[in-house]
Amino acid sequence: MRIEKALAVETADFRDNGTILRMYQQATRDGRETAPLKKRKRGEYRDIPVPRWLWDMIRDLPDGPLMIGNGERRYQLYGTVYERFMNAADKAGIPAGFTPHSLRHAFTSAMLIKSVPITGVAHWLGHRDVRVTYRIYDHLVPSAAARAIAVLDEEYAEWSKPAKK
């Protein structure tokens, strides 16, 4: 997700025993308040699956933002988070050019490479039209023909097993 959305995540936004994150707002860049999701009306949301390890890390945190602001700000400042990320990436030896937004691409790439349906991925990214997702990530979408061949080969292998006596 984009930084503004990540900043607005609160413990109360997790549903179904922490397996779903309901995104319905993003923090403003000054960290003082929230706004509706990009190109959405207030109250519109999308649900995103959450890995168990993440829920295990945060389930006992107090109510409120996961990244608490300072002073009169409820949320962290966009620029502060961006700068801290870039400094940490540099210290970790991550190549230049890897930004917080790169994590969004890494998430999408991992999902599509592992054959998670692009319709779900598009929804989680907040793309109203799956064609947007496809236009950006079509090189990662497994070939339907290649998948069909693999399925047919698997079925043939199953059918071809010698009968048990």
Side-chain angles (χ1 to χ4, degrees):
M1 66 182 72
R2 293 181 173 92
I3 291 177
E4 298 95 327
K5 291 168 187 65
L7 291 175
V9 173
E10 302 199 11
T11 48
D13 298 335
F14 291 85
R15 309 271 192 276
D16 298 331
N17 294 318
T19 60
I20 299 294
L21 171 60
R22 178 155 292 167
M23 295 293 309
Y24 63 94
Q25 63 186 6
Q26 60 188 40
T28 55
R29 290 215 174 187
D30 66 9
R32 296 182 191 279
E33 58 188 4
T34 60
L37 295 174
K38 183 179 170 185
K39 299 181 183 177
R40 301 293 191 276
K41 295 176 184 162
R42 192 163 292 280
E44 289 184 308
Y45 65 87
R46 67 180 183 271
D47 289 341
I48 303 169
V50 175
R52 296 253 181 235
W53 59 264
L54 178 59
W55 179 241
D56 289 344
M57 289 175 64
I58 64 167
R59 79 166 120 222
D60 296 325
L61 292 177
D63 289 338
L66 297 185
M67 292 184 271
I68 300 167
N70 49 19
E72 71 282 355
R73 293 183 174 88
R74 180 169 175 82
Y75 306 99
Q76 288 283 320
L77 289 170
Y78 175 96
T80 301
V81 172
Y82 185 89
E83 185 178 318
R84 286 180 183 163
F85 180 94
M86 297 305 291
N87 288 337
D90 185 47
K91 286 180 185 174
I94 295 173
F98 191 88
T99 67
H101 196 77
S102 300
L103 295 172
R104 179 176 165 91
H105 293 302
F107 165 83
T108 306
S109 299
M111 296 296 107
L112 294 175
I113 288 168
K114 295 291 187 174
S115 298
V116 173
I118 195 169
T119 50
V121 176
H123 172 75
W124 303 327
L125 292 173
H127 295 165
R128 287 188 186 237
D129 187 339
V130 71
R131 291 178 295 185
V132 171
T133 313
Y134 189 78
R135 190 170 49 250
I136 297 167
Y137 298 101
D138 68 327
H139 62 289
L140 298 174
V141 177
S143 158
R147 182 68 187 128
I149 291 166
V151 167
L152 292 171
D153 286 345
E154 290 167 13
E155 287 298 312
Y156 177 77
E158 187 65 31
W159 300 334
S160 301
K161 287 182 182 175
K164 293 184 180 181
K165 294 182 183 181

